[in-house]
Amino acid sequence: MGFTVAIDGPAAAGKGTISKAVAAHFGFAHLDTGLLYRATGRRMLDGLEAVEAAEALTAEDLERDGLRSAEAARAASQVAAIPEVRKALLDFQRAFARRYGGAVLDGRDIGTVICPEAEVKLFVTASDPVRAQRRFDELIASGVETTFDEVLADLKDRDRRDSARASAPLKPAEDAHLLDTTDLGIDAAVEAAVTVVKQRLEQGR
């Protein structure tokens, strides 16, 4: 039987790290749905029209270099605001979510649009300065030249686009568990998420 964990939240809140850890803990498959949009955005930057890029997306596109760059993030946010792009990627995500053995999907509209019937929904958040510092540290470690102020401004701009878009805006599902990681270390944040999933699994027995 399928068991779906939907984890949403803004950039650099920790949802990716938490999602991977939860999937590993329970032996579930994991999908970073943001990569689908980053890969689509990357193909758009290469010259393809956005909807065409989404419809022609392949597994190899998800392995391309540069998908974690700020440029790819901005392009991802732009293509994600296009309803036809979201529709093109919808079936892939839903099929993955109901695969045998359980699945964890992280993104921005998993609990609200992609998998509204998910057994567990988490919305991971953190304060703007903390998120910006985390992303800044990641970029510097990977050799990207930037400043904290540039990263903070970019995050706020992306939050505005993602929250204001007409199609599948970034927001917590009504029945989502809120997990604020502002003052939590990685281990504590993962433990909190694992506890929520474990409780739901036990209820289903």
Side-chain angles (χ1 to χ4, degrees):
M1 290 183 61
F3 185 95
T4 306
V5 180
I7 302 183
D8 294 306
K15 67 180 182 294
T17 300
I18 292 170
S19 297
K20 291 174 186 175
V22 168
H25 182 90
F26 293 101
F28 294 164
H30 171 251
L31 176 64
D32 174 1
T33 64
L35 274 183
L36 300 177
Y37 292 95
R38 285 171 178 264
T40 300
R42 181 71 261 175
R43 296 196 73 178
M44 181 186 72
L45 293 173
D46 290 340
L48 281 181
E49 190 271 329
V51 177
E52 179 186 359
E55 293 174 342
L57 205 64
T58 67
E60 288 72 23
D61 289 316
L62 304 183
E63 304 294 331
R64 289 186 60 180
D65 291 336
L67 295 186
R68 295 295 181 185
S69 69
E71 182 184 36
R74 286 190 290 271
S77 189
Q78 292 168 9
V79 300
I82 303 172
E84 292 81 6
V85 168
R86 306 196 73 85
K87 182 178 179 181
L89 300 174
L90 183 63
D91 289 344
F92 178 90
Q93 295 173 82
R94 285 182 172 168
F96 187 97
R98 300 316 291 178
R99 64 195 293 150
Y100 181 81
V104 179
L105 288 80
D106 71 79
R108 282 169 168 69
D109 64 344
I110 309 304
T112 54
V113 176
I114 306 300
C115 304
E117 304 302 322
E119 282 74 15
V120 175
K121 300 175 188 175
L122 289 170
F123 192 86
V124 182
T125 188
S127 69
D128 290 350
V130 167
R131 291 193 298 123
Q133 187 65 54
R134 291 172 181 169
R135 181 52 50 85
F136 175 73
D137 292 342
E138 290 175 359
L139 292 172
I140 293 300
S142 62
V144 177
E145 293 186 8
T146 186
T147 67
F148 174 83
D149 288 341
E150 287 175 341
V151 173
L152 179 59
D154 191 56
L155 278 180
K156 288 183 176 181
D157 184 53
R158 189 176 180 191
D159 287 347
R160 281 193 292 270
R161 283 200 305 270
D162 291 348
S163 299
R165 66 189 180 214
S167 177
L170 168 66
K171 65 178 182 178
E174 292 184 1
D175 55 346
H177 298 267
L178 296 179
L179 178 54
D180 190 329
T181 66
T182 300
D183 299 315
L184 293 180
I186 293 174
D187 291 343
V190 170
E191 182 180 0
V194 165
T195 298
V196 173
V197 176
K198 189 178 296 183
Q199 290 173 345
R200 181 64 181 83
L201 283 168
E202 291 174 350
Q203 290 172 3
R205 288 175 180 171

